[in-house]
Amino acid sequence: MSNENTPIVSVRGLTKTYDGGHQALKGIDLDIREGEILALLGPNGAGKTTLISTVCGLVTPSSGTVTVGGHDIIKDYRVTRKLIGLVPQELTLGAFDLVGDTVRFSRGLFGLPPNEDRIDEILTDLSLIDKKDDPVNRLSGGMKRRVLIAKALSHEPRVLFLDEPTAGVDVELRKDMWKLVEKLRQDGVTIILTTHYIEEAEEIADRVGVISDGRLLVIDEKANLMASLGRKQLMVDLRAPVEVLPDSLSKFNLERSDDGLRLTYTFDTQGERTGITALLQALNAAGIGLKDLNTSQSSLEDIFVNLVHRDHER
Ligand SMILES: Nc1ncnc2c1ncn2[C@@H]1O[C@H](COP(=O)(O)OP(=O)(O)OP(=O)(O)O)[C@@H](O)[C@H]1O
Ligand SMILES: [Mg+2]
């Protein structure tokens, strides 16, 4: 299981059709590497929660297989459930429970021996230790979310699923959460989180997957994703409109605005040469006068929007 090349979670041909006929997952193949932080992005209803819930054994797949630590989640569910911690998207806590009790209870559910030091350590990491004897219903929303994380960590899982851990959480707590995720990674925990905050994926993930309409559209190293799909553009505003571009400019594949006043040049951020100098020389040689130059770089957000948009047009 600790073999670097063996995925800690392996999903093959996973589909899910809910009662009523909605197909929420349309064939997902996914390998999660031990120790990585994987962020899953996708619009509302894309199937992120369904995917996570299936791996965690809360939703029964319609077809396909999932293994965790090499064990099948259906045949060996006792083993796989112990390896997994889940922080659900919806806040699900008994109103009258005390913080310490509810975390202790979660640990017990997995058959682990009591370990008050471990519980205190988790509560301390989550800045909840001074709330240990407080009823959960007196906590703020952000604190309740941290209690859910404490519960999910109580049985010392190897893989932690966080379903929108920072939804509705203030900036400071979000940063605390990121620190916690980093600390868990240092402890060797594999982390899969879903998020709508692209900067969150940008900040903490090693790899990013994009899910749309039940399909995994891409999954790659964050840096690769930005390099392979990211493009830079140079916008050239002209003094006078051009009707037709001279042949000498054809190799630049310029895009001309409808009013002829702007040319857009798109280039690869990975390329050794941008071609900008050559373009400017060619424009000069063609007698096209410039008024202004601007550049823009596609962010992970642009990439994401483009991908999902393209998927919806299929
Ligand atoms: N229990 C259920 N019964 C029927 N349909 C469901 C059920 N749960 C989810 N769905 C449907 O499956 C699709 C995927 O839902 P899911 O919750 O997995 O999306 P999501 O990507 O997590 O969205 P969000 O970002 O809003 O949390 C949606 O169309 C949803 O309405
Ligand atoms: Mg969801």
Side-chain angles (χ1 to χ4, degrees), residues 34-81:
E34 182 148 31
E36 77 170 329
I37 300 177
L38 171 65
L40 295 174
L41 297 172
N44 288 133
K48 303 179 298 294
T49 298
T50 303
L51 174 61
I52 286 183
S53 306
T54 308
V55 176
C56 294
L58 302 174
V59 166
T60 317
S62 302
S63 67
T65 57
V66 180
T67 62
V68 179
H71 304 277
D72 186 87
I73 55 155
I74 293 173
K75 275 186 286 200
D76 301 325
Y77 74 95
R78 282 198 182 81
V79 183
T80 61
R81 290 294 292 274

Side-chain angles (χ1 to χ4, degrees), residues 236-242 256-263 291:
V236 183
D237 289 327
L238 308 177
R239 283 184 202 282
V242 286
R256 200 181 62 95
S257 63
D258 288 341
D259 60 9
L261 277 169
R262 169 174 277 195
L263 302 176
K291 200 163 100 188

Side-chain angles (χ1 to χ4, degrees), residues 44-45 47-50 89-90 163-164 194 196:
N44 288 133
K48 303 179 298 294
T49 298
T50 303
Q89 183 170 6
E90 306 295 335
D163 200 355
E164 298 197 30
T194 69
H196 285 134

Side-chain angles (χ1 to χ4, degrees), residues 71-191:
H71 304 277
D72 186 87
I73 55 155
I74 293 173
K75 275 186 286 200
D76 301 325
Y77 74 95
R78 282 198 182 81
V79 183
T80 61
R81 290 294 292 274
K82 275 197 177 180
L83 294 172
I84 290 173
L86 167 67
V87 180
Q89 183 170 6
E90 306 295 335
L91 296 173
T92 48
L93 286 164
F96 303 106
D97 295 342
L98 304 184
V99 171
D101 288 348
T102 185
V103 177
R104 217 176 281 122
F105 178 71
S106 288
R107 182 180 171 90
L109 267 186
F110 286 92
L112 267 76
N115 185 339
E116 208 56 26
D117 288 348
R118 181 73 193 127
I119 303 277
D120 286 354
E121 194 183 319
I122 292 168
L123 291 177
T124 305
D125 280 349
L126 290 157
S127 310
L128 282 172
I129 192 72
D130 55 333
K131 307 281 182 218
K132 191 174 175 185
D133 300 317
D134 286 11
V136 167
N137 65 352
R138 291 222 205 112
L139 303 180
S140 74
M143 286 178 197
K144 283 184 184 136
R145 195 163 290 279
R146 277 183 277 164
V147 173
L148 285 174
I149 298 178
K151 282 165 71 81
L153 292 173
S154 65
H155 63 288
E156 300 163 36
R158 302 269 309 276
V159 187
L160 182 65
F161 289 89
L162 296 159
D163 200 355
E164 298 197 30
T166 58
V169 152
D170 70 29
V171 179
E172 208 162 313
L173 183 55
R174 187 170 304 161
K175 298 232 159 107
D176 285 350
M177 202 81 86
W178 295 351
K179 274 191 217 136
L180 176 75
V181 166
E182 188 50 44
K183 182 174 185 285
L184 289 168
R185 186 245 288 275
Q186 279 162 22
D187 293 343
V189 179
T190 305
I191 292 153

